[in-house]
Amino acid sequence: MPEPIALHRQSTRDLLDALTWRVSNKSYKSVQDLDLLDSRLQKLTAIVRGKRNALIPVNQLPAELLVIIFTYSQQHLDSFLPTPPDGIAYDKHHRDWLSLLHVCRHWRGVAATSNLLWTTVDNGLVPQKFLRRSGNAPITAYCGIRMRSCPKSDLSLFLPHLHRIRELHMDISSWVSSIQDLYKAISDPAPLLESLTLDTMGPVTAPNAHLPAIFNGEMPRLRKLCLEYFTYWPTGYFRGLTHLCLHHQPFPESLRPTTAQFLDFLESCPDMEELVLVSAGPTRAEVEDIPAPHAERLVALHKLRELTFGKITDLSCVRRLLSYLSLPENVHMYFWGCPALGANDGDIANLIPTNLNNLPCMLGVEEWRIRCAPYHTFTTGRDNYIVAFVDKVLYTLDIGSEAHIARMATVYAPVLRNVRRVYVNDTLDISTSLWQDLFCCIPQLQELMIRPHLLWNASRGILAALFPEPVTQDKVPVRTGLKSMLGLDGILCPELKKLSFEVASTVQGPGFYISTFINERKVRGKPLDELELRYLRAPPPADIVYIPPSTPPANPPAPTPFPLAPQPPPPLPPPPVVTPIGPPAQEQTSLEMESMRVASASVKEVIYMHDQEPIVLEPKDWPIRGYIWTTMTLPEED
């Protein structure tokens, strides 16, 4: 064998040529010799590939930067209420990043030795390996969240690491019979804990809903808490929180805290940013809410960004709490639940406190979106109503009865006085007199959009409320109802300039009624500037599914061509067509053309818009994560 110095003088190509010639011309008598040679050649090939990969620009990045890039390929859930990305089911994307280990040896080495990439530990994804490779770094632990079970054997893996857990999210519903064992197990201090989720399916009724001691009371950094069932906790716990979710506390509601007790707790959390109460909180009846807070008491939560009350049947308890709070102007507020049919506690007027000076988010409303739903929606199993104040928009959705908004005109007047846009979808046929009372509270209304539901009866009732009042022989408008009380003249919403209808292309509309309304407003000196007719895009036809018969018939019919092979995707829909001051398309006759010609003479502009998507009435972030976390059953992973 030549000396290393002699080999160094030869080029790599010469050495390979010499090796190739030697292997080709030498006679081997042992398979073991060839296996040894093959093994050494494979190692040489791996070395060559490693040298080549090292020259690729991405592999010349520092390992620290490569780790940061890898973290962006991981799935990260919110530290508070870790709901799945799609809001329906947890997917498997949290394990997709592991494919990086199989790209090349360099990437595998960087990923496998980086503690940062292994700090999210899930009991459904090889937790032992993640705990080992995370080293001593702070970890986020999920137990019973993605995999909807939390056996004791999995929990025991986390217990030695309580001192370095930064987030702990646990669903321990399966521990009902041995729940005390859990609290004894998590008795060591958690000095780094910042976020805690403790969901447990406790009994619906219980004489004692007091949380036992956990983490030896040592959670100095805890700022985010989600707690199911428990109503009380040891003195000194959970102070200085920024995020809180309490849900499904036990019945009777007399076991829950009083308003005064809950205000004491909120005062210990002045930096609260998100507060979620779902079937929880100070929901006692008025006679049981004792001692009552002092009338002048006020708790300021100036950093609050979102306030949620859910599964509430008696809105007066929410009003009671709001009357003692001072909230910022930009806070988002959501109230949802299922009020009792026909009961006064379902009246959304019960939500508004008498004094709104400390709730500017309720006074700055500029838009109102209302959808009324019939009673049968109560039987669908979903929460019925949504009342929300978001970005200067008031949402009152799925109101189940006219009784639930009967007093809205008198109570919501301060809320509605600055509203300029109203979007209505009425499927209940709310009475014209009630609509008239509501419009009395909206003197600055400039734009009204109506979405009829199959028939135009509700739309007629809405427009009838805005028809100018008849005049007497002395040409004095006749004042009726709330108009007379407020001292209004015969024309409601005098600033109204735009009227829109959003209808299906097959709905036949009362064109004569609309044109009469527009003309009457013009005659009385309050003309409209714009009439907009939005024809909705027709729903796609239902897919045809071929189901072969289980038993062929005796005399089968002649075969019919059927597209069994995969079909190409349908073409994209055409862009919306906007035709200003023109009649509707020939195939769309939902509004009588002659009546529209009459209407165009009384309004500056008539706009027809075809193939439109319906305007979304729900808040842009609905369903919010507090709703998802506390109402939806998330399927277990395969």
Side-chain angles (χ1 to χ4, degrees), residues 560-589:
T560 303
F562 195 86
L564 295 178
Q567 300 298 306
L572 295 176
V577 179
V578 180
T579 309
I581 316 181
Q586 184 65 32
E587 67 275 13
Q588 292 177 314
T589 59

Side-chain angles (χ1 to χ4, degrees), residues 241-478:
L241 296 179
T242 59
H243 296 69
L244 174 65
C245 174
L246 300 175
H247 64 102
H248 296 101
Q249 293 179 341
F251 290 92
E253 294 179 336
S254 58
L255 293 175
R256 300 178 184 178
T258 65
T259 302
Q261 290 173 329
F262 197 74
L263 290 174
D264 290 341
F265 173 74
L266 291 180
E267 282 185 332
S268 70
C269 304
D271 296 329
M272 186 72 70
E273 298 178 14
E274 187 169 344
L275 178 59
V276 180
L277 301 173
V278 178
S279 189
T283 58
R284 294 189 181 196
E286 192 76 29
V287 295
E288 297 177 334
D289 191 46
I290 51 176
H294 191 274
E296 302 299 325
R297 186 173 185 181
L298 197 64
V299 176
L301 300 176
H302 295 320
K303 295 185 179 180
L304 195 67
R305 295 182 288 103
E306 186 172 305
L307 174 63
T308 301
F309 285 86
K311 293 190 176 181
I312 308 166
T313 56
D314 187 356
L315 290 172
S316 62
C317 64
V318 180
R319 177 186 61 199
R320 186 174 61 215
L321 179 61
L322 290 177
S323 63
Y324 295 105
L325 297 181
S326 176
L327 304 180
E329 183 178 7
N330 59 347
V331 64
H332 293 179
M333 299 198 300
Y334 301 89
F335 311 94
W336 48 271
C338 184
L341 293 180
N344 290 332
D345 56 12
D347 188 346
I348 65 172
N350 292 332
L351 179 66
I352 303 299
T354 304
N355 185 357
L356 295 178
N357 292 333
N358 297 307
L359 300 172
C361 50
M362 288 185 168
L363 291 176
V365 175
E366 297 180 355
E367 181 175 306
W368 180 24
R369 302 192 179 196
I370 176 172
R371 179 174 63 209
C372 301
Y375 274 141
H376 64 75
T377 57
F378 284 99
T379 63
T380 61
R382 66 180 178 87
D383 298 286
N384 185 256
Y385 70 82
I386 303 171
V387 179
F389 294 82
V390 180
D391 296 332
K392 298 184 177 183
V393 180
L394 168 63
Y395 299 86
T396 53
L397 306 178
D398 299 335
I399 304 302
S401 167
E402 182 172 315
H404 294 155
I405 59 174
R407 296 191 304 117
M408 190 172 179
T410 55
V411 178
Y412 277 69
V415 177
L416 300 175
R417 64 187 178 191
N418 295 319
V419 168
R420 290 170 172 79
R421 295 176 300 278
V422 174
Y423 299 86
V424 183
N425 181 204
D426 181 11
T427 62
L428 286 177
D429 291 349
I430 299 297
S431 65
T432 296
S433 60
L434 179 53
W435 280 120
Q436 195 173 56
D437 290 344
L438 290 172
F439 285 128
C440 285
C441 303
I442 317 177
Q444 300 189 47
L445 180 64
Q446 298 176 2
E447 178 181 345
L448 174 63
M449 192 281 287
I450 301 174
R451 181 189 300 173
H453 179 71
L454 300 181
L455 300 176
W456 283 73
N457 295 344
S459 302
R460 291 177 186 268
I462 298 171
L463 287 182
L466 290 172
F467 253 89
E469 292 283 358
V471 296
T472 64
Q473 293 182 352
D474 298 328
K475 298 185 178 180
V476 177
V478 178

Side-chain angles (χ1 to χ4, degrees), residues 535 579-586 588 593 596-597 606 608 610:
Y535 294 95
T579 309
I581 316 181
Q586 184 65 32
Q588 292 177 314
M593 295 176 61
M596 289 300 97
R597 292 193 186 98
V606 179
Y608 298 90
H610 305 292

